[in-house]
Amino acid sequence: MDELRQRWEQIRENIATACARVGRDPNEVRVVAVTKYVDLDTTRAVLDAGIEDIGESRAQEAVPKFEALKGRGVWHFIGHLQRNKVKDVINRFTYIHSLDRYSLAKEIQSRAEKADKQVKCFIQVNVSGEESKHGIAPEELTDFAREVVETCPRIQVVGLMTMAPKTDQPEEVRPFFRRLKQLQAELQKLGDTRLQVPHLSMGMSQDYPIAVEEGATFLRLGSVLVGRQK
Ligand SMILES: *Cc1c(COP(=O)(O)O)cnc(C)c1O
């Protein structure tokens, strides 16, 4: 697994370089290693390499891994979350990056209440407006965020998440990241302490240096860091 360590070194260097270009502190940027394409052994190797944030997008596959690894690491749920999976997710995952509709917020609230937990969530925003993407429309974000904090006290809104369109021209995604940062500022301007949303979860393998330049605090890196088996 030396290869993994090499990729990790390289990525950290790229993050540091991107931070230097815009005067950011690399310690503000956390990397979530997305292990959805790889098996249990590779997921364990990621943890063994000292990477502790693990991202998974399907509960059916993540839960057995989590159990086999006895909860090592900090787990991030990054995929579309079905309501009937919430109960499996909130007891294992520290972060949910994909809060994208009110019915899901209600289910998280009710399950978290029963489990006597607070759940850290990112609101997923569909900045690009692509129909294939989940997420709240930018113009509906303020109302949605207000409604969540008013009615779901078990949900701690820690930030905003977005997925940029797929492209082989990384520069094309910059406006989408910039827009997410603006939306963050708009929420912060409301002056509600529950909507300080300090974090931005944006940037994947294809575009993470640009996401760093635009203010990402969580990167979600699959292929470029962990590789792919499927
Ligand atoms: C799969 C996935 C990633 C990682 O994708 P890569 O392009 O392999 O880095 C990041 N975020 C989400 C929401 C994903 O589903």
Side-chain angles (χ1 to χ4, degrees), residues 32-37 55-58 77-80 97-98 124 161-163 166 201-208 219-228:
V32 177
V34 176
T35 52
K36 68 181 183 193
Y37 305 122
E56 285 277 342
S57 60
R58 292 168 60 96
F77 195 87
I78 63 171
H80 186 63
H97 289 240
S98 46
Q124 182 171 354
M161 180 275 223
T162 200
M163 287 176 79
K166 262 208 164 22
S201 168
M202 59 188 194
M204 305 176 21
S205 293
Q206 65 166 15
D207 50 30
Y208 71 92
L219 307 174
R220 307 179 309 268
L221 302 182
S223 1
V224 80
L225 172 59
V226 183
R228 311 176 69 123

Side-chain angles (χ1 to χ4, degrees), residues 121-200:
C121 293
F122 289 82
I123 297 175
Q124 182 171 354
V125 186
N126 186 357
V127 177
S128 67
E130 288 170 289
E131 263 180 43
S132 60
K133 290 215 157 55
H134 296 287
I136 302 293
E139 56 281 9
E140 287 162 14
L141 176 62
T142 303
D143 286 347
F144 179 77
R146 278 203 174 112
E147 176 126 40
V148 168
V149 296
E150 287 301 334
T151 61
C152 303
R154 295 283 173 167
I155 293 181
Q156 192 184 341
V157 182
V158 296
L160 302 179
M161 180 275 223
T162 200
M163 287 176 79
K166 262 208 164 22
T167 169
D168 48 15
Q169 301 290 319
E171 268 309 317
E172 285 178 4
V173 302
R174 191 183 293 279
F176 302 107
F177 294 151
R178 201 162 275 183
R179 182 82 179 106
L180 197 70
K181 177 95 190 165
Q182 271 174 5
L183 291 167
Q184 176 190 38
E186 283 171 28
L187 285 184
Q188 290 170 339
K189 260 191 282 180
L190 299 174
D192 184 328
T193 51
R194 298 167 299 181
L195 288 175
Q196 284 314 293
V197 290
H199 292 295
L200 293 175

Side-chain angles (χ1 to χ4, degrees), residues 12 33 43 50 53 62 74 90 101-102 107-109 114-115 117 126 141 148 153 157 177 184 212-213:
R12 286 202 298 190
T43 306
D53 289 286
V74 176
I90 63 162
R101 59 205 191 280
Y102 191 64
E107 179 67 13
I108 294 171
Q109 166 64 25
K114 288 194 187 95
K117 292 181 92 95
N126 186 357
L141 176 62
V148 168
V157 182
F177 294 151
Q184 176 190 38
V212 169
E213 289 176 13

